[in-house]
Amino acid sequence: MAASDLTEAEEVQGTHGDRSGEVAVDHVRISRFRAALPLLPRCLAYTCFLLNLIPSGWGTLLAALLSLCYPSAQLFSSTEALCINFGVFFLQLILTPFLLVGWVWSVMWGCALVAIADSQRLADQEESPLSDG
């Protein structure tokens, strides 16, 4: 293993935030925007997804407000997650008239909320399996 490979592996495993705007979680780099998404229950995640389908970004606004009650998957405070998610909502709203870029981003954001909720549900099921008997 080359020295540069070792440095990159150590960086991915140990870095939670750096100047590049990326966050490393479970050996995968994700953007600070996505890292600020709250861990919502499935019903709220699907509600946000549906709200992102028709009026672009409104599910993201709801997720931003819910980030005050539900923590983000990363090391963000609730106010920091609120500000980041509100910024994403604002950008989605502004970019919707331009070739529907904001709407596509909004739908992808809703899918990300649902994926995070589903992965959290699976993790919770693995931690507390139902016992037979």
Side-chain angles (χ1 to χ4, degrees):
M1 186 193 262
S4 63
D5 293 338
L6 181 61
T7 305
E8 183 177 328
E10 289 173 349
E11 180 180 319
V12 170
Q13 290 177 1
T15 304
H16 289 290
D18 57 12
R19 291 184 205 125
S20 68
E22 295 178 340
V23 177
V25 178
D26 296 330
H27 310 288
V28 177
R29 287 192 162 287
I30 57 177
S31 71
R32 291 182 70 81
F33 282 160
R34 181 138 190 234
L37 286 173
L39 292 173
L40 298 176
R42 287 183 73 203
C43 60
L44 288 176
Y46 278 102
T47 301
C48 290
F49 172 73
L50 292 174
L51 285 174
N52 275 341
L53 286 178
I54 308 291
S56 178
W58 291 100
T60 304
L61 178 62
L62 178 61
L65 296 174
L66 289 172
S67 67
L68 293 173
C69 301
Y70 296 96
S72 69
Q74 310 309 318
L75 303 173
F76 289 106
S77 69
S78 59
T79 54
E80 188 176 15
L82 171 72
C83 292
I84 291 171
N85 284 307
F86 186 77
V88 169
F89 159 72
F90 185 70
L91 290 172
Q92 288 172 353
L93 199 61
I94 288 175
L95 292 175
T96 296
F98 301 104
L99 300 173
L100 298 176
V101 171
W103 181 78
V104 171
W105 185 10
S106 176
V107 171
M108 290 173 44
W109 217 243
C111 291
L113 283 167
V114 170
I116 290 171
D118 286 343
S119 66
Q120 182 64 30
R121 180 174 172 235
L122 290 174
D124 289 345
Q125 286 177 350
E126 289 176 2
E127 287 178 7
S128 60
L130 296 175
S131 60
D132 295 331

